[in-house]
Amino acid sequence: MKRVFEILVPYSVALAALLAVGCGSNSEDPNEEQQGQVCEGLPPLAEKDTYRVGFAQVWEDDGPWRNANTASMIDEADKRGFELVFDPGTKSDPAEQVARMQALIQAKVDVIFIAPHDETVLAPSVVRARRACIPVFIIDRAVDPNVAIPGVDYVSYLASDFRKEGQMAADWLIEKTQGKANIIQLEGTVGSSPGVQRKRGFDERIAKEDGMTILASETGDFDEDKGYALTKRLVAEHPTADVIYAHNDAMAFGVITALEEMGKVPGEDILVVSIDGTKKATQYILDGKIGVVVECNPKFGPIAFDTMLAYARGDDVPLRVDNVDRIFDIENAAEYLPEAY
Ligand code: GYE
């Protein structure tokens, strides 16, 4: 899939150049009428000294990954003297993010960065922004490529390879347990690409191991409190569990609190596996409470703005920009700790 997208880049850029100019409105969407110009392909981005950059971030209840991601975008806009048009939102609700996207379109920002709450609900908003001649860059989480078409509806998608993260977590666990484990899985937000792909990558590896079973797999919405509540219930329901795989660090923090309250020793009675690479999780590795953390780098600001400016210059911009993730356990956690967020 990725290769196909790369081959399409020059084509899509050429297509954008041909189609970017307003083509009149043949839409039934009344908002488009108000906006005037309609773009049928990738809108161009003018080279300017400064930009009004819309940022449609996922709302999360104080998640350390999300906070680091937001800070990186704000800092980078500041450094470059760009205005970041950013409403942080109030709840974990894709419909609310759809409304925030609509507000950015109506504000006629120059460009939009969106981290979509989930793959399907936000995809039409990306198409609407493109039709309103606002180039969109997807960061962090994917949108459904059948609705929002890469290289037509958005310029580029910058993110980690979440399936690979799930595979890395599973491979570490297989080696550590010599292929014997009873696992509880705490999934991320339903329909979000990290939730879907971290499960897929992990499950496909574990399925090949006769001695490993996934006893339960439920969503904790990437949320610490939900990770806590799920742990209390699922550990009681599955007394043979000896591993908890949490799709992010925030949920893993909830796991550790819950286990300790239940009189279990994380790292001894139950091995905890997580993804993200926050400072607190890294410290938990050093304390023996977490076995492994697969990295997911949240600091997108520099690469996001560099990619946007490359597009404005007319450079070929890849449809997919991959972050490279590392893996931390007791062997290298101390070395990583100073740079953890
Ligand atoms: O792992 C998690 C956050 O989308 C990759 O979202 C991101 C995930 C991250 O809630 O902590």
Side-chain angles (χ1 to χ4, degrees):
M1 192 72 136
K2 189 178 157 209
R3 180 159 305 159
V4 173
F5 290 167
E6 274 162 9
I7 292 165
L8 282 174
V9 170
Y11 168 75
S12 64
V13 172
L15 191 72
L18 281 173
L19 296 178
V21 203
C23 308
S25 175
N26 55 0
S27 158
E28 288 164 15
D29 180 348
N31 289 317
E32 278 190 355
E33 297 292 346
Q34 288 161 19
Q35 299 282 321
Q37 202 187 30
V38 175
C39 286
E40 298 293 345
L42 277 187
L45 181 62
E47 279 196 277
K48 304 197 289 183
D49 290 340
T50 188
Y51 293 90
R52 289 176 72 230
V53 179
F55 180 33
Q57 173 66 298
V58 180
W59 184 90
E60 267 165 12
D61 192 11
D62 208 25
W65 191 98
R66 193 60 49 197
N67 293 345
N69 180 249
T70 302
S72 175
M73 295 296 285
I74 291 174
D75 288 355
E76 201 59 28
D78 271 3
K79 263 188 215 154
R80 296 176 194 242
F82 298 171
E83 181 192 349
L84 197 72
V85 183
F86 169 51
D87 170 353
T90 61
K91 53 180 182 285
S92 176
D93 174 13
E96 190 195 71
Q97 198 182 14
V98 169
R100 285 188 278 128
M101 274 295 277
Q102 198 54 41
L104 291 175
I105 294 168
Q106 264 147 12
K108 296 189 182 187
V109 292
D110 295 315
V111 57
I112 293 177
F113 288 108
I114 175 174
H117 177 279
D118 72 72
E119 290 184 10
T120 47
V121 183
L122 271 300
S125 299
V126 172
V127 179
R128 270 197 290 277
R130 181 271 293 164
R131 289 186 65 80
C133 297
I134 301 174
V136 178
F137 294 78
I138 316 281
I139 62 164
D140 169 24
R141 300 182 179 180
V143 283
D144 183 346
N146 298 310
V147 178
I149 298 161
V152 175
D153 293 315
Y154 63 86
V155 180
S156 186
Y157 169 45
L158 300 88
S160 286
D161 181 338
F162 302 124
R163 182 177 174 189
K164 194 164 162 203
E165 290 174 346
Q167 291 170 342
M168 285 162 79
D171 289 346
W172 183 93
L173 189 61
I174 292 165
E175 202 184 315
K176 179 78 181 170
T177 63
Q178 293 168 334
K180 285 188 191 58
N182 289 324
I183 305 161
I184 290 172
Q185 177 167 213
L186 306 189
E187 298 171 28
T189 299
V190 175
S192 71
S193 58
V196 173
Q197 298 298 333
R198 286 174 183 168
K199 175 170 165 52
R200 181 177 172 208
F202 185 82
D203 288 4
E204 67 196 7
R205 287 287 213 269
I206 299 299
K208 294 194 184 131
E209 300 295 320
D210 292 341
M212 297 179 96
T213 310
I214 299 176
L215 301 169
S217 188
E218 291 191 24
T219 179
D221 202 16
F222 287 129
D223 180 75
E224 179 168 348
D225 292 346
K226 291 180 189 168
Y228 168 88
L230 269 183
T231 303
K232 287 238 159 150
R233 176 164 61 76
L234 292 176
V235 169
E237 279 173 20
H238 301 279
T240 59
D242 51 15
V243 171
I244 297 183
Y245 164 46
H247 281 193
N248 78 336
D249 284 355
M251 289 192 294
F253 303 153
V255 170
I256 287 163
T257 312
L259 289 178
E260 287 177 338
E261 282 182 18
M262 294 170 94
K264 299 207 179 281
V265 182
E268 285 181 26
D269 301 325
I270 297 204
L271 185 57
V272 181
V273 172
S274 182
I275 297 182
D276 273 349
T278 58
K279 208 178 254 319
K280 185 168 167 184
T282 312
Q283 186 58 52
Y284 276 153
I285 298 177
L286 295 170
D287 298 344
K289 296 183 180 186
I290 290 185
V292 70
V293 175
V294 175
E295 182 184 33
C296 182
N297 187 347
K299 295 174 188 166
F300 281 70
I303 185 128
F305 283 88
D306 281 350
T307 307
M308 169 195 143
L309 292 180
Y311 182 65
R313 278 196 307 272
D315 296 353
D316 271 356
V317 170
L319 291 177
R320 176 78 163 94
V321 177
D322 268 320
N323 287 344
V324 179
D325 295 317
R326 297 166 289 176
I327 184 161
F328 307 114
D329 64 9
I330 197 65
E331 299 297 325
N332 59 352
E335 198 187 323
Y336 169 62
L337 189 65
E339 68 168 284
Y341 51 93

